[in-house]
Each structure stands twice: as C-alpha cells, then as structure tokens.
Amino acid sequence: MSSKSQDNDDNFEGQSALKEELNKKIKEQKVLLDELSNLKKSRRVYIQQRNSNIFFLADRSQTLGSCKKELDSMKKDLQDM
C-alpha cells in the first residue's frame, strides 16, 4: 500500500471519528432542547460557567434560543463535512 493511500485512509478515519463525535453532541443538544421546552414556566434554569463549577440563574427563553442556535450550527457543520 502506498503512503498516499494510507494517508487517505487515516484522513477518512479521522473524518469518521469527527462525524461520530458531532452526531453525539447533536443528540445531546436535542435532549437538552426537549428538556428545556417541557419545563414549567415557573421553573428556574441555571447555566454552568465554562471550566468551572459555578452556576448562574438564566432566563429560560434566552437559554432555549441559544441552545437552538447552537444545534443549528452543529447541524450545519455536519452537513459541511
């Protein structure tokens, strides 16, 4: 096997792993959206600060909107692959 075809195989495997990871994140995001959508209006929503164990109170509708945008972005990235 030539080194060029081996590089192509490695690249394909890398792409496949990235797609699997992105699909996993998309599924997680869909579950998050479903959970946020089904919350009672009186329930509180907290957002975790990145790289920290600190949570802040957040607006439910804003959180839902940002989650939808993030899901759309992930879907677009998957289609671009």
Side-chain angles (χ1 to χ4, degrees):
M1 184 184 288
S2 69
S3 64
K4 190 172 186 176
S5 65
Q6 187 175 4
D7 289 343
N8 287 340
D9 289 344
D10 291 344
N11 189 24
F12 178 74
E13 289 174 6
Q15 282 274 353
S16 179
L18 286 174
K19 283 184 180 181
E20 286 180 28
E21 184 67 27
L22 194 53
N23 274 326
K24 182 180 174 186
K25 287 183 180 182
I26 287 172
K27 287 179 185 178
E28 289 174 1
Q29 196 70 17
K30 285 180 180 180
V31 170
L32 177 62
L33 274 172
D34 191 45
E35 291 290 331
L36 283 172
S37 298
N38 291 320
L39 279 178
K40 293 180 182 178
K41 301 231 185 247
S42 62
R43 298 297 302 208
R44 292 185 177 172
V45 175
Y46 293 88
I47 297 177
Q48 184 175 8
Q49 188 71 16
R50 288 189 181 190
N51 300 325
S52 172
N53 289 329
I54 300 173
F55 291 82
F56 291 100
L57 185 62
D59 182 58
R60 188 179 73 86
S61 59
Q62 284 180 338
T63 305
L64 188 60
S66 66
C67 287
K68 284 181 183 178
K69 286 180 186 177
E70 192 172 333
L71 178 62
D72 291 340
S73 174
M74 283 187 228
K75 285 181 180 179
K76 184 180 179 288
D77 290 344
L78 184 62
Q79 288 177 348
D80 291 344
M81 288 184 167

